[in-house]
Amino acid sequence: MERLKDKVIIITGAAQGMGKVHAERAIAEGAKVVITDINEEKGQAVAVTLGSDALFIKHNVVSESDWENVVQTTLEYWGKIDVLVNNAGITYNMKIEEITLDDYMKIVNINQVSVFLGIKSVTATMKAQNSGAIINISSMNGLAGGAIGYTDTKFAVRGMTKAAARELSPFNITVNSVHPGVIHTPMLEQPGVKEAVDKFKQMIPMRRVAQAEEVSNMIIFLASDEARYSTGSEFVIDGGVTATV
Ligand SMILES: NC(=O)C1=CN([C@@H]2O[C@H](COP(=O)(O)OP(=O)(O)OC[C@H]3O[C@@H](n4cnc5c(N)ncnc54)[C@H](O)[C@@H]3O)[C@@H](O)[C@H]2O)C=CC1
Ligand SMILES: CC(=O)C(C)=O
């Protein structure tokens, strides 16, 4: 199937984890993919594996000038931007009394301000095209409380999605949020996070962690024309977690 034939897709944080798998799936569906990440070595290696339909651009998602470079380079290379997946993110599992303001501002910048910058950076291009899809990766923690800091940013992504969807709908640009539950990626292998996830697993109604491919299925749908009338909506892939609270 070529559900994304000739679409140009930017995916942030695609050097590993879910972003990498979304890039693989998008190419299999006929897309041209711009992989961005702060980790140049891993990002380049992924692009090499994916071949000529992939382009890697080094990108710190909190930098406005890096965003300008991503948009400019994508337009020079492939002439348009059909889809932006705001996927890059970090997590912590710290208590309120231990998280510092620096920690807090770091997660706000990487998980939340980056999504604002991403939306802002592609808007002029998508408006001129009179088409586009922006997919913002939130979390089940954008629907129900988890760790301080992380939860805050993922609720913000959900709110920002709705505001942008309202403003951009007249230009045929959709903006949606995706809310994964516990997904097997390197993010969850960090000390502190791993232990919390191990404890949490038994509370998942489906009694298992998901694979990244299960989230990619949703990304492919939202990136495709099949989803053209969905905007400002929340797409949940969490094995039933938020259905139980
Ligand atoms: N793994 C999980 O269970 C869940 C993850 N999510 C969200 O899904 C998204 C992807 O997560 P995973 O694939 O699990 O994470 P991951 O840690 O495996 O990959 C994240 C990627 O983002 C990149 N990144 C980090 N800071 C960056 C920056 N400043 N600029 C550019 N790139 C940067 C990293 O280098 C890495 O390649 C994140 O937004 C995360 O919050 C949401 C729900 C569940
Ligand atoms: C990292 C994350 O969003 C989880 C496990 O919900």
Short mmCIF file of all heavy atoms in Angstrom, two decimals, residues 91 139-141 150 180-182 187-188 197, ligand 2:
data_model
loop_
_atom_site.label_atom_id
_atom_site.label_comp_id
_atom_site.label_asym_id
_atom_site.label_seq_id
_atom_site.Cartn_x
_atom_site.Cartn_y
_atom_site.Cartn_z
N THR A 91 11.66 12.45 29.25
CA THR A 91 10.83 12.25 30.45
C THR A 91 11.72 12.20 31.69
O THR A 91 12.92 11.94 31.60
CB THR A 91 9.97 10.98 30.33
OG1 THR A 91 8.97 11.01 31.35
CG2 THR A 91 10.77 9.70 30.47
N SER A 139 0.75 12.13 25.32
CA SER A 139 0.94 10.89 26.09
C SER A 139 -0.39 10.58 26.78
O SER A 139 -1.26 11.46 26.88
CB SER A 139 2.01 11.13 27.16
OG SER A 139 2.02 10.12 28.14
N MET A 140 -0.49 9.38 27.32
CA MET A 140 -1.62 9.13 28.23
C MET A 140 -1.52 10.13 29.40
O MET A 140 -2.54 10.47 30.00
CB MET A 140 -1.59 7.69 28.74
CG MET A 140 -0.42 7.33 29.61
SD MET A 140 -0.51 5.61 30.12
CE MET A 140 1.00 5.46 31.07
N ASN A 141 -0.30 10.61 29.67
CA ASN A 141 -0.13 11.60 30.73
C ASN A 141 -0.53 13.01 30.29
O ASN A 141 -0.40 13.97 31.06
CB ASN A 141 1.31 11.60 31.25
CG ASN A 141 1.68 10.31 31.94
OD1 ASN A 141 2.78 9.80 31.77
ND2 ASN A 141 0.75 9.74 32.70
N TYR A 150 6.57 16.26 33.36
CA TYR A 150 6.20 15.53 32.14
C TYR A 150 4.70 15.68 31.86
O TYR A 150 4.29 16.04 30.76
CB TYR A 150 6.57 14.05 32.31
CG TYR A 150 6.38 13.24 31.03
CD1 TYR A 150 7.28 13.35 29.98
CD2 TYR A 150 5.30 12.38 30.87
CE1 TYR A 150 7.11 12.62 28.81
CE2 TYR A 150 5.12 11.64 29.71
CZ TYR A 150 6.03 11.77 28.68
OH TYR A 150 5.85 11.05 27.52
N PRO A 180 0.04 8.07 23.35
CA PRO A 180 0.46 6.68 23.62
C PRO A 180 0.46 6.38 25.12
O PRO A 180 0.65 7.26 25.96
CB PRO A 180 1.89 6.63 23.07
CG PRO A 180 2.05 7.87 22.22
CD PRO A 180 1.13 8.88 22.83
N GLY A 181 0.28 5.08 25.41
CA GLY A 181 0.43 4.61 26.79
C GLY A 181 1.88 4.20 27.00
O GLY A 181 2.78 4.99 26.74
N VAL A 182 2.10 2.99 27.46
CA VAL A 182 3.48 2.54 27.72
C VAL A 182 3.98 1.81 26.47
O VAL A 182 3.47 0.75 26.12
CB VAL A 182 3.56 1.63 28.96
CG1 VAL A 182 5.00 1.29 29.26
CG2 VAL A 182 2.90 2.32 30.15
N MET A 187 13.37 5.32 25.75
CA MET A 187 12.96 6.29 26.77
C MET A 187 12.65 5.61 28.11
O MET A 187 12.93 6.14 29.17
CB MET A 187 11.73 7.07 26.29
CG MET A 187 11.20 8.05 27.31
SD MET A 187 9.79 9.01 26.71
CE MET A 187 10.62 10.43 26.03
N LEU A 188 12.08 4.43 28.02
CA LEU A 188 11.62 3.77 29.25
C LEU A 188 12.71 2.95 29.92
O LEU A 188 12.48 2.34 30.96
CB LEU A 188 10.41 2.89 28.95
CG LEU A 188 9.21 3.62 28.34
CD1 LEU A 188 7.99 2.72 28.32
CD2 LEU A 188 8.90 4.91 29.08
N VAL A 197 7.83 2.15 35.41
CA VAL A 197 7.08 1.46 34.36
C VAL A 197 6.84 0.00 34.77
O VAL A 197 5.74 -0.53 34.59
CB VAL A 197 7.84 1.55 33.01
CG1 VAL A 197 7.26 0.59 31.99
CG2 VAL A 197 7.80 2.97 32.48
C1 LIG B 2 6.74 8.07 28.90
C2 LIG B 2 5.27 8.11 28.91
O1 LIG B 2 4.65 8.98 28.36
C3 LIG B 2 4.56 7.12 29.55
C4 LIG B 2 5.19 5.91 30.00
O2 LIG B 2 3.40 7.28 29.70
#
